[in-house]
């Protein structure tokens, strides 16, 4: 029954995409062939700016290395053109808080919305029904709204803002009414992976027919260097078991249709900072190139030349593989981020050392 439910959800999502954005749908339908050829099918997540209306405890943007050249609308147009040529089909607008960006309409338009599925990560504080309808009209497809806890006091405390919880919930409903796909994003730690609080969040999502994206904790931001917040193998098994009961609650490494996806660094996700640095994952603060200096293809090729990103891993490298975290990610502690890849990896980490 649950397998049928998952298939029905996916069928509806694909039908909606095919109807609303046939050019993006056509590219996504070719992803299996691209993966068979060893090509990236990455969602490109990017931070146009770091401006934000909140001061969340987990924020790490103050540590980001500032550079002379920063992203512009023309930069996005160039990235979108390159991504389209590579057969990629998905963007995610991050921040900061995208809904405080005065250029947000221009940002969406620069991403060629007829050719790309476009999502946005937001705290929801500035999202009402009128604005959600407008964003949908100009090409946005999905909003991802963070719910730190189903406990109102905990969410507000983490966001340092009274009322943040109720506003986030109302923005979820507004986005749904506007016809946007709606995602509740929630960070799971070792301390919460087997908690009643997590079950309560799933029950709320079930009642309101929301999808939940489970993001496992990383030792970043206020948790920098804290391996105690990372999930363990038992936590991971528990989350997978919960997924069987609540199929709308998902992780990026969960199996789909009998296929184990594994860690998606470079292959399924890339993050571009405001200053053009490209990371192999949103939560891996290592720059594998800069979009102002090289083409997107050159940077992806370099990423795939690092064996950890090319070789299959059933665990999330940045939040679950404690050996990788200790050997590589902990090198970023107490430094401006992202850290250049040559300061992290050695010759033994490359598939072809001559292409370092």
């Amino acid at each position: 029954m649950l397998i049928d439910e998952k298939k029905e959800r996916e069928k509806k999502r694909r039908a909606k995409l095919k109807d609303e954005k046939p050019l993006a749908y056509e590219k996504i339908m070719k992803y299996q062939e691209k993966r068979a050829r060893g090509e990236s099918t990455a969602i490109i997540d990017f931070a146009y700016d770091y401006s934000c209306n909140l001061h969340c405890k987990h924020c790490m943007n103050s540590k980001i290395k500032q550079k002379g050249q920063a992203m512009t609308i023309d930069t996005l147009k160039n990235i979108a053109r390159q991504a389209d040529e590579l057969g990629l089909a998905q963007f995610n607008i991050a921040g900061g808080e995208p809904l405080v960006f005065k250029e947000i309409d221009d940002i969406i338009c620069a991403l060629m919305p007829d050719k790309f599925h476009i999502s946005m990560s937001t705290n929801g504080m500035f999202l009402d029904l009128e604005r959600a309808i407008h964003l949908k009209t100009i090409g946005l497809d999905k909003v991802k709204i963070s719910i730190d806890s189903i406990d109102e006091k905990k969410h507000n405390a983490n966001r340092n803002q009274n009322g943040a919880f109720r506003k986030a919930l109302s923005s979820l409903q507004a986005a749904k009414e506007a016809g946007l796909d709606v995602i509740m994003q929630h960070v799971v730690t070792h301390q919460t992976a087997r908690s009643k609080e997590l079950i309560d969040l799933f029950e709320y999502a079930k009642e309101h027919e929301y999808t939940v994206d489970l993001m496992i904790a990383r030792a970043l931001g206020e948790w920098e260097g804290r391996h105690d917040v990372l999930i363990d193998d038992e936590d991971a098994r528990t989350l997978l078991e919960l997924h069987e009961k609540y199929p709308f609650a998902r992780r990026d490494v969960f199996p789909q249709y009998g296929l184990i996806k594994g860690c998606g660094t470079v292959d399924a996700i890339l993050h571009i900072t405001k200053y053009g640095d490209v990371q192999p994952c949103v939560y891996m603060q290592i720059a594998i190139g800069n979009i102002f200096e090289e083409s997107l293809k050159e940077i992806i090729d370099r990423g795939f030349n690092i064996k950890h990103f090319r070789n299959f891993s059933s665990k999330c490298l940045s939040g679950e593989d404690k050996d990788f975290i200790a050997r590589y990610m902990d090198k970023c502690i107490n430094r401006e981020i992202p850290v250049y890849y040559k300061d992290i990896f050695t010759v033994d980490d490359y598939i072809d050392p001559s292409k370092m």
Side-chain angles (χ1 to χ4, degrees), residues 21-46:
K21 294 195 172 178
L23 296 179
Y25 173 83
E26 184 178 320
K27 287 191 286 186
I28 289 175
M29 289 302 98
K30 295 178 180 178
Y31 274 11
Q32 189 170 352
E33 298 172 15
K34 287 176 66 62
R35 290 191 181 103
R37 294 194 297 267
E39 298 175 9
S40 175
T41 58
I43 298 170
I44 299 178
D45 178 278
F46 67 91

Side-chain angles (χ1 to χ4, degrees), residues 70-251:
M71 201 174 284
T72 65
I73 297 300
D74 284 339
T75 307
L76 289 181
K77 290 178 179 178
N78 184 37
I79 293 171
R81 177 189 57 78
Q82 292 186 59
D84 185 49
E85 290 174 354
L86 292 172
L88 302 179
Q90 295 165 281
F91 280 107
N92 184 64
I93 307 167
E97 170 49 51
L99 292 181
V100 305
F101 303 164
K102 64 181 184 297
E103 311 96 332
I104 188 60
D105 285 17
D106 294 333
I107 290 170
I108 292 172
C109 291
L111 300 177
M112 300 193 293
D114 60 321
K115 294 184 177 181
F116 287 90
H117 180 276
I118 302 172
S119 59
M120 176 190 296
S121 297
T122 173
N123 58 44
M125 294 293 288
F126 297 108
L127 188 65
D128 56 19
L129 180 58
E130 182 181 0
R131 195 165 197 192
I133 291 172
H134 170 72
L135 293 169
K136 172 72 174 175
T137 300
I138 64 173
L140 189 70
D141 300 286
K142 177 191 292 183
V143 291
K144 304 176 181 181
I145 298 172
S146 300
I147 302 295
D148 299 330
S149 172
I150 201 64
D151 182 310
E152 181 174 358
K153 291 182 179 179
K154 289 182 180 179
H155 179 93
N156 289 345
N158 188 58
R159 299 279 156 174
N160 283 308
Q161 179 67 53
N162 290 333
F165 179 76
R166 293 186 180 276
K167 190 64 186 75
L169 295 188
S170 68
S171 66
L172 285 164
Q173 184 60 32
K176 182 180 178 181
E177 290 180 19
L180 291 163
D181 294 331
V182 181
I183 305 291
M184 293 174 64
Q185 289 191 314
H186 179 72
V187 175
V188 181
T189 68
H190 172 61
Q191 290 74 22
T192 65
R194 289 175 265 173
S195 68
K196 181 180 181 300
E197 185 178 328
L198 185 60
I199 301 297
D200 291 343
L201 184 141
F202 290 165
E203 288 292 338
Y204 181 90
K206 181 179 180 180
E207 178 185 352
H208 292 83
E209 298 182 329
Y210 298 144
T211 297
V212 180
D213 272 0
L214 297 173
M215 302 181 295
I216 61 172
R218 275 78 169 183
L220 309 172
E222 67 169 354
W223 292 333
E224 186 174 69
R226 282 191 52 191
H227 292 196
D228 63 296
V229 301
L230 305 177
I231 67 168
D232 59 24
D233 290 344
E234 183 59 32
D235 297 332
R237 284 191 292 271
T238 298
L239 295 177
L240 185 56
E241 289 169 1
L242 287 172
H243 171 64
E244 294 304 314
K245 182 177 180 181
Y246 302 99
F248 54 82
R250 61 195 191 185
R251 278 190 62 202

Side-chain angles (χ1 to χ4, degrees), residues 327-344:
R327 292 178 61 192
Y328 303 105
M329 291 187 63
D330 281 356
K331 290 183 180 180
C332 300
I333 293 175
N334 296 324
R335 300 173 71 172
E336 286 187 314
I337 54 174
V339 180
Y340 191 49
Y341 73 98
K342 287 190 176 180
D343 294 330
I344 299 292

